[in-house]
Amino acid sequence: MTDCLFCKIAQGEIQADVVFEDGDVVAFRDINPQTPVHVLVIPRKHIVGFSDLTEGDEWLVGKIARTAARIAEAEGVAESGYRCVVNNGPHAQQSVPHLHMHVLGGRQMSWPPG
Ligand code: AMP
């Protein structure tokens, strides 16, 4: 998609601190980190959000989840614990309309979320 921030990051048109990428997904540090480790995992394919996933995307969700787990391991938070979050829509305060999974860790978090 031409006017999508995360598509532009995936294509290298906008710079980001990329920690992992392959042909399907890109992972980069959040520009406004909420925890010591805060990485976003996105599909290269433009999908607006969780609600827009189709049957054909099921493997891609697995890939995103597996990538998130690998990043948690690489960032050293797998043992201490981490949170994977997908915000979808206005009530969840999704601000970028390109599917992304937040990987948050490195400090004690609370529950429930705000
Ligand atoms: P959400 O609110 O779930 O849509 O999350 C969007 C996230 O993208 C926020 O945590 C932002 O801080 C992050 N973000 C926005 N622009 C950039 C950027 N250029 N590079 C890295 N992260 C970004």
Side-chain angles (χ1 to χ4, degrees):
M1 202 194 178
T2 50
D3 203 26
C4 169
L5 172 64
F6 284 0
C7 283
K8 286 180 178 169
I9 286 176
Q11 286 156 15
E13 288 174 29
I14 290 178
Q15 210 186 343
D17 188 355
V18 173
V19 297
F20 176 82
E21 63 181 317
D22 67 11
D24 305 314
V25 298
V26 183
F28 52 94
R29 296 193 194 283
D30 197 293
I31 203 166
N32 183 22
Q34 300 302 308
T35 47
V37 174
H38 189 171
V39 173
L40 303 174
V41 184
I42 67 167
R44 286 190 185 277
K45 177 183 175 186
H46 183 77
I47 300 169
V48 171
F50 223 54
S51 297
D52 303 286
L53 289 163
T54 63
E55 198 177 330
D57 296 323
E58 287 175 1
W59 68 274
L60 189 52
V61 178
K63 180 90 188 247
I64 291 167
R66 177 78 187 116
T67 301
R70 286 178 58 189
I71 285 163
E73 187 78 43
E75 295 287 324
V77 297
E79 264 191 46
S80 53
Y82 59 96
R83 188 172 289 170
C84 295
V85 174
V86 177
N87 294 320
N88 188 88
H91 272 187
Q93 294 202 319
Q94 181 181 3
S95 61
V96 178
H98 181 125
L99 178 66
H100 49 283
M101 179 175 282
H102 297 255
V103 182
L104 299 147
R107 68 163 168 80
Q108 181 65 54
M109 285 173 264
S110 58
W111 190 263

